[in-house]
Amino acid sequence: PNYIKYYGQELNTSTYNLARMNMFLHGIDAENQKLRNGDTLDGDWPTGEETDFNMVLMNPPYSANWSAAVGFLQDERFSDYGVLAPKSKADYAFLLHGLYHLKSNGTMAIVLPHGVLFRGAAEGVIRQYLIKEKNWLDAVIGLPANLFFGTSIPTCVLVFKKCKTHDDIFFI
């Protein structure tokens, strides 16, 4: 607990407060927590603080709406891909936000709806870039419906490694 630093951002104030309480209940000292109550996509992490991490774990809201304003194509988190996640499904926006903040030798796991595996258009372009150009997708773990509170849809965990040395993708 004294070695690991925890960073997080949550838009919903109740969920943010639950996260803070959970940290204290698990013995995480206040100085090892950097939790923010704010919009992850519209308000990226402040650049005056550490912003590249060894490990990123994310469980964003599934298929949430976001602005997808054209200006985001200039945002460093999204500019490499040439397209933005659709306004009606921010799944890939959250995914790219997490990857942006991952160190070059880091690992990221993100829980998303199954649709991220096969939806086309901009999401297909981003997915192809992540797999063929970057070779960062390491594993896909399919999860059954009704596993998470508040949703009955099946989900998946996508595991990304920026330092991946093989071309295989492991499916479970």
Side-chain angles (χ1 to χ4, degrees), residues 30-86:
E31 59 268 7
N32 291 347
Q33 306 176 33
K34 301 281 187 179
L35 302 179
R36 295 189 178 283
N37 186 205
D39 190 318
T40 299
L41 299 178
D42 286 341
D44 191 15
W45 200 263
T47 56
E49 297 183 17
E50 182 174 1
T51 60
D52 59 334
F53 305 107
N54 295 315
M55 172 64 74
V56 172
L57 301 172
M58 298 180 78
N59 187 7
Y62 308 136
S63 301
N65 292 322
W66 77 302
S67 69
V70 173
F72 279 114
L73 285 172
Q74 308 307 316
D75 188 312
E76 290 182 349
R77 297 173 295 167
F78 312 114
S79 60
D80 287 348
Y81 306 91
V83 294
L84 295 171

Side-chain angles (χ1 to χ4, degrees), residues 125-139:
V125 170
I126 296 168
R127 187 173 53 250
Q128 182 171 350
Y129 186 83
L130 292 173
I131 293 170
K132 292 190 177 203
E133 301 298 320
K134 292 295 190 179
N135 190 34
W136 286 346
L137 183 60
D138 192 49

